[in-house]
């Protein structure tokens, strides 16, 4: 069972998926420190430092598209949710969660897991 970690951070979601028997073979994030942290915690995973919006998962040969069991991610939520401890401050960050839809379309996973951000329901 193949897994893809979008918006990977230190690798907590990858760890949980791995403990459930998923082979998380691909992780992507635009922030180099996140990639380095994930790589330290999950050295067998292929890592890619790029913005999801700058990658076409339909055509890029680096993106696994066959036999993807689960696609998961924790998109940035601190600007458009109460994650900072208060009211949302910047709705312009909203594009991040929607980037996952392109990957879902390209990879056609059996399962999709998105970090629980209650404000997404109002979109």
């Amino acid at each position: 069972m193949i897994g893809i970690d979008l918006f990977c951070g230190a690798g907590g979601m990858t760890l949980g998926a791995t403990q459930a028997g998923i082979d998380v073979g691909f992780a992507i994030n635009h922030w180099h420190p996140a990639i380095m942290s994930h790589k330290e915690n999950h050295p067998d995973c292929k890592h890619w430092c790029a913005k999801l919006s700058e990658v076409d998962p339909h055509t890029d040969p680096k993106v696994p598209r066959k036999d993807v069991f689960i696609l998961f991610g924790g998109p940035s939520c601190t600007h458009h949710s109460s994650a900072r401890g208060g009211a949302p401050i910047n709705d312009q960050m909203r594009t991040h969660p929607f980037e996952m839809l392109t990957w879902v379309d390209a990879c056609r996973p059996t399962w999709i897991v998105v970090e629980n951000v209650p404000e997404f329901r109002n979109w």
Side-chain angles (χ1 to χ4, degrees), residues 43-66:
D44 295 331
C45 188
K46 291 180 184 173
H47 294 89
W48 195 359
C49 189
K51 290 182 179 180
L52 267 63
S53 61
E54 296 173 353
V55 175
D56 183 351
H58 290 96
T59 60
D60 197 297
K62 293 180 192 173
V63 177
R65 287 182 292 277
K66 292 185 178 181

Side-chain angles (χ1 to χ4, degrees), residues 101-116:
L101 297 177
T102 303
W103 288 72
V104 168
D105 184 57
C107 301
R108 309 305 274 177
T110 304
W111 288 93
I112 303 161
V113 176
V114 182
E115 181 181 359
N116 182 18

Side-chain angles (χ1 to χ4, degrees), residues 6-24:
L6 304 177
F7 309 103
C8 75
M13 283 189 176
T14 295
L15 177 62
T18 301
Q19 290 175 339
I22 306 297
D23 177 18
V24 181

Side-chain angles (χ1 to χ4, degrees), residues 75-91 93-94 115-123:
S76 174
C77 62
T78 55
H79 294 291
H80 56 254
S81 74
S82 59
R84 289 185 103 118
I89 61 170
N90 184 350
D91 283 344
M93 296 295 287
R94 285 186 173 191
E115 181 181 359
N116 182 18
V117 178
E119 287 81 2
F120 288 169
R121 284 183 261 160
N122 296 330
W123 294 7

